[in-house]
Amino acid sequence: MLIKTAEYLQSEADWRKCPSPNLPEYAFIGRSNVGKSSLINMLVNNKSLAKTSSKPGKTQTINHFLINKNWYLVDLPGYGFAKISKTTREKWQKMISDYLLFRENLQVVFVLVDARLEPQQIDIDFINNLGEKGIPFAIIFTKTDKNSSGKTMSNMQKMKNVLAETWEELPLMLKSSAISGAGKEEILNFIEEINQQYHSNIAL
Ligand code: GTP
Ligand code: MG
């Protein structure tokens, strides 16, 4: 898919105030600092669209971007950020879980995990929770430029093994790098396929 336009729309702490749910939507979630905002920028060829930072905890709201005037990308805050108060953490958790549960046009949640790490309990818990709630998701292994491809493959396999203990069907797993652009075509093609299904269902 060719990205022709990518526009920032709005940042909200409440899913009810998000843009009208009349277009297919894709959200990026994962541990703080895993590279959600950077991956969004890489996908849409704009290094400064979503705000990134070397310090975790940068993204703090639900951020909507309109792509090709036809679908939404959503940048979410990360989970597992240690340096916030219990009250703020609970507020973020509720903001994210309500958004994931109630956002009716949400097609797929991309759960980002660091390709350099073996499966982390916090990611597995989050993924299992999505599965239990029946929220469609795919996993993206980020920062592959910082890792050997053998190590990335081995961490992906380990994640498959862990998830296979609980789930019969495994989610789609993709690799990405915001630096090299790896994964761009696969992710955008996957989104395009779903967009086509969405629009043909609407036309029926
Ligand atoms: P929060 O909004 O704080 O939860 O973080 P985030 O998940 O949005 O991460 P962000 O995109 O802000 O990136 C965090 C840090 O990782 C930044 O210093 C990025 O430059 C770096 N980074 C992100 N993606 C990649 C990647 O693919 N490769 C490398 N080498 N660095 C990356
Ligand atoms: Mg961010």
Side-chain angles (χ1 to χ4, degrees):
M1 168 172 26
L2 209 65
I3 303 297
K4 292 182 200 129
T5 57
E7 302 156 60
Y8 165 73
L9 292 183
Q10 62 195 70
S11 302
E12 301 294 346
D14 185 343
W15 66 274
R16 292 177 194 86
K17 295 185 182 150
C18 289
S20 160
N22 56 355
L23 292 174
E25 179 158 316
Y26 304 86
F28 288 71
I29 187 87
R31 277 199 310 149
S32 233
N33 213 242
V34 71
K36 301 172 290 293
S37 304
S38 304
L39 179 59
I40 288 178
N41 290 343
M42 184 273 269
L43 291 174
V44 304
N45 315 312
N46 181 340
K47 282 202 163 66
S48 52
L49 190 68
K51 301 272 181 301
T52 66
S53 167
S54 56
K55 289 194 205 109
K58 179 70 181 169
T59 310
Q60 307 204 348
T61 46
I62 305 165
N63 299 284
H64 271 79
F65 303 95
L66 176 65
I67 314 300
N68 290 350
K69 309 213 183 279
N70 191 36
W71 53 284
Y72 296 125
L73 267 184
V74 175
D75 192 13
L76 293 171
Y79 49 76
F81 180 41
K83 287 185 189 154
I84 45 172
S85 68
K86 190 164 170 262
T87 337
T88 310
R89 185 192 318 280
E90 282 167 1
K91 218 170 69 191
W92 283 18
Q93 273 169 358
K94 178 148 173 55
M95 166 173 72
I96 296 170
S97 65
D98 282 359
Y99 164 80
L100 293 173
L101 271 179
F102 301 128
R103 186 69 175 160
E104 63 197 84
N105 57 331
L106 182 60
Q107 305 298 302
V108 173
V109 180
F110 290 105
V111 183
L112 275 51
V113 299
D114 192 321
R116 297 168 297 177
L117 304 178
E118 297 200 348
Q120 303 286 298
Q121 196 56 46
I122 192 167
D123 293 322
I124 294 161
D125 290 345
F126 190 87
I127 289 166
N128 284 340
N129 200 259
L130 287 175
E132 280 157 21
K133 301 239 161 67
I135 299 167
F137 66 93
I139 301 177
I140 301 181
F141 290 77
T142 63
K143 307 193 185 183
T144 55
D145 59 283
K146 284 193 169 183
N147 213 14
S148 74
S149 63
K151 192 85 203 318
T152 298
M153 293 303 284
S154 131
N155 287 336
M156 283 176 88
Q157 188 55 50
K158 283 179 184 159
M159 180 63 92
K160 283 181 188 163
N161 296 345
V162 173
L163 296 182
E165 289 169 14
T166 316
W167 303 99
E168 221 163 272
E169 224 181 296
L170 291 180
L172 175 69
M173 295 193 189
L174 300 167
K175 294 176 274 185
S176 77
S177 162
I179 301 289
S180 76
K184 185 177 188 165
E185 270 196 40
E186 289 89 340
I187 298 167
L188 289 178
N189 287 346
F190 177 64
I191 290 174
E192 186 165 35
E193 266 176 44
I194 300 170
N195 281 347
Q196 279 168 359
Q197 283 169 24
Y198 177 95
H199 288 295
S200 61
N201 286 341
I202 293 281
L204 284 178

